[in-house]
Amino acid sequence: MKDEPRSHPFRDSVEDIAAARRIPDTPQTRAPAYRLAFTDAEFLTRAELRPVRLQLELLKPQMVMDERGIESTIVLFGGARIPAPGQEARHPGLAALAPHYEEARRFARLMTERSLQSYGRENVIVTGGGPGVMEAGNRGAAEAGGQSIGLNIVLPHEQAPNAYVTPDLCFNFHYFAIRKMHFLMRAKAICGFPGGFGTLDELFEALTLIQTGRMRRVPFLLFGRDFWERVINWQALADAGTIAAEDLALFRYVETAEEAVAAIDAWPKPC
C-alpha cells in the first residue's frame, strides 16, 4: 500500500524505497548516512527519536482500527497465568481461579455475537493478546465467528500472541503508556478478571482516569467478588479518606458472563 494518494505530482516513498535498491553498490551507498531516514532502523531507534516512535506506536493501531471500522471495544483485563481447562496450574491458588478462564471465554463469545450484529464495528473484544484470561477472551470471540484485538507488548521473557487473536488486529507495543491508551480509547466497558501486577496496573489506571474525569464513565465490572475483596480493601481506602465514598460506585462486581452482559445492557446510553 502506498503511503500517499497519487493526486499530487511527487514521487511517493514506496517508489523511492524501490529505487534505492537499484543503485550501485559503493562505499557511499553502503554508508549509514545515505539511508533514507524512514528506512534506517539504527537511526529510528536512537534516544533522540523517542517522540517519533511514540507517535508511530500511537498512529499505527489507530489507523488500522479506523480502516477496519472499529468504533467501540469491550476491554478484558486478567491474569496471564490462569490456566485453560486441561492445563496444569502453576500454583495451587491458580487452580481455584481456573473457572474464570471459561467465564471470560463465555462472556467474550456473548459480546461478539452482539458485535456481529454491527458487522464487527461495535463491542469488539480487546485483550492483551497473551495467554490465560487474555487467550480466553480472544478464543470466545473466535468461537462466535467474530474478530478480536490483541495488544501485545515486548517483555524481557518470551511472549507471543495467543492463537485466537484476529491476525490483522494483532499489535505489538514497546511503550506500556501507548498500549494503555489503545485499551481505553474505544472502550465501551471494562472487565477485570483476577490477575497480578499487570492486571492491577491496568485496572487502577482506568479507575483513576474515570475518577478524575479524564475519561467518561463506562461499565466497570470486576469478575469474582471473593478474589477482589481479598486482594483489595476498597472500603478501607474510603474509611481512610484517600478516596471518596462515592468512588466505590465506579465499579461493580459480577460473577457470570450473563450478569456482565446485563450490566452493560442496563448502562444509560450516551446523550
Side-chain angles (χ1 to χ4, degrees), residues 62-188:
Q62 179 74 20
M63 292 170 68
V64 171
M65 285 191 266
D66 284 346
E67 289 166 359
R68 292 290 289 258
I70 295 173
E71 297 176 6
S72 68
T73 57
I74 305 295
V75 182
L76 264 67
F77 294 136
R81 302 181 183 188
I82 293 179
Q87 290 182 348
E88 184 177 350
R90 295 162 57 182
H91 184 280
L94 292 172
L97 296 176
H100 287 287
Y101 182 102
E102 278 301 303
E103 212 59 48
R105 181 178 173 182
R106 290 198 316 113
F107 172 72
R109 185 166 61 243
L110 290 172
M111 291 309 304
T112 303
E113 289 170 357
R114 299 281 188 88
S115 178
L116 290 172
Q117 297 172 17
S118 67
Y119 302 98
R121 293 191 295 267
E122 300 280 353
N123 300 315
V124 180
I125 295 293
V126 56
T127 79
V133 166
M134 296 174 280
E135 176 188 283
N138 297 119
R139 185 175 183 177
E143 289 169 345
Q147 62 184 0
S148 67
I149 303 163
L151 305 181
N152 288 84
I153 189 151
V154 179
L155 297 174
H157 54 80
E158 183 179 357
Q159 178 181 334
N162 69 66
Y164 302 100
V165 182
T166 301
D168 290 344
L169 295 171
C170 187
F171 303 103
N172 199 17
F173 290 84
H174 174 73
Y175 297 105
F176 269 100
I178 302 300
R179 180 176 181 249
K180 287 179 183 178
M181 287 186 65
H182 278 294
F183 268 124
L184 300 178
M185 285 169 65
R186 290 172 166 83
K188 190 174 180 180

Side-chain angles (χ1 to χ4, degrees), residues 1-15:
M1 180 183 294
K2 297 183 178 180
D3 62 349
E4 296 175 318
R6 293 313 307 271
S7 58
H8 58 76
F10 306 108
R11 287 168 59 91
D12 66 34
S13 55
V14 175
E15 291 172 319

Side-chain angles (χ1 to χ4, degrees), residues 22 40 42 53 111 116 141 154 182-183 195 222 246 252:
R22 298 192 295 269
D40 188 345
E42 185 177 344
R53 295 195 300 273
M111 291 309 304
L116 290 172
V154 179
H182 278 294
F183 268 124
L222 298 179
E246 54 266 29
R252 60 169 290 185

Side-chain angles (χ1 to χ4, degrees), residues 72 74 111 114 117 122-123 188-189 216-219 260-271:
S72 68
I74 305 295
M111 291 309 304
R114 299 281 188 88
Q117 297 172 17
E122 300 280 353
N123 300 315
K188 190 174 180 180
R216 65 180 172 84
R217 284 195 65 180
V218 296
V261 172
I264 292 170
D265 286 346
W267 192 259
K269 299 297 185 288
C271 297

